[in-house]
Amino acid sequence: PRPIVFNFFPSKTGPVTTTTTTGIAAPPPQVSPTTPFSLFQCCIARARNLLAICGHLPTGIAPQFKDDACRAAIVLAISALDAFLRTFVLTKIVNKVADPGQSIPVPLKVKLEECVGYDVVLDAARQGDLKAKVETAFRAHFEDQSFQGVKKIADSMKLIGHDGVFDSIARAAGINEENLKRDIGRHTKRRH
């Protein structure tokens, strides 16, 4: 291997310093890929940390500090859910539209007409640019929309073919669907 030479700029009073090394550089460290779900999990872990801090505050601390830390945990968790759902739904919409083998749910067909328009979809399909046009249109549509609250979550999941998403989640978690919806609604209101 060729030596690697580093030349450092001389100071006004001293000579040029040169360092030479030989050998093979170590490979970069293994990094897990960042996904919307891994970011969501990280934010939830941080929200739990905030709640743990609340439980360990000294008794002399004013109660509003504990209240603020608890509210910060809720804001972080609901914002993480919002960001995850936005990315998840957008990705699934683009993939469904771009894959001729997948069926497009009726709510998504309606939303495509509303956000993109029939003429744009037709022209984009003819030019082979359908995926990009749909993604751009839905990014713009979702930009000013939140994915918070039971109705908004259910409606967005219907776009990608997940009817009854709260029923599925409640069954998988072994909890009551109405309690799940109530808790999500309560936390969303607390966030605001």
Side-chain angles (χ1 to χ4, degrees), residues 50-161:
L50 282 170
L51 292 174
I53 289 169
C54 290
H56 292 84
L57 290 175
T59 54
I61 298 287
Q64 66 263 26
F65 290 121
K66 183 175 181 177
D67 293 345
D68 287 346
C70 289
R71 183 177 180 280
I74 291 169
V75 168
L76 180 58
I78 296 295
S79 296
L81 179 62
D82 181 277
F84 169 70
L85 287 173
R86 178 185 318 274
T87 305
F88 179 76
V89 170
L90 179 64
T91 302
K92 293 293 185 180
I93 286 172
V94 170
N95 290 339
K96 276 190 178 295
V97 171
D99 183 357
Q102 289 193 36
S103 63
I104 298 178
V106 173
L108 180 53
K109 288 179 183 178
V110 171
K111 193 58 90 173
L112 274 166
E113 178 63 30
E114 177 187 319
C115 293
V116 185
Y118 177 78
D119 293 338
V120 173
V121 169
L122 180 61
D123 288 342
R126 292 179 67 216
Q127 296 170 6
D129 194 24
L130 181 62
K131 190 173 181 177
K133 292 285 187 195
V134 168
E135 183 172 3
T136 301
F138 273 92
R139 272 192 196 282
H141 177 71
F142 289 158
E143 195 170 276
D144 61 347
Q145 187 178 356
S146 78
F147 285 76
Q148 300 173 14
V150 173
K151 181 169 176 17
K152 289 189 178 189
I153 293 170
D155 289 347
S156 65
M157 295 303 278
K158 283 179 184 175
L159 291 175
I160 56 175

Side-chain angles (χ1 to χ4, degrees), residues 4-84:
I4 301 170
V5 178
F6 299 98
N7 288 321
F8 300 97
F9 293 102
S11 66
K12 292 182 179 181
T13 59
V16 173
T17 304
T18 304
T19 303
T20 305
T21 61
T22 58
I24 299 173
Q30 290 288 341
V31 178
S32 299
T34 302
T35 66
F37 188 66
S38 68
L39 290 174
F40 173 72
Q41 288 177 312
C42 180
C43 289
I44 294 302
R46 288 179 175 156
R48 285 186 176 130
N49 291 344
L50 282 170
L51 292 174
I53 289 169
C54 290
H56 292 84
L57 290 175
T59 54
I61 298 287
Q64 66 263 26
F65 290 121
K66 183 175 181 177
D67 293 345
D68 287 346
C70 289
R71 183 177 180 280
I74 291 169
V75 168
L76 180 58
I78 296 295
S79 296
L81 179 62
D82 181 277
F84 169 70

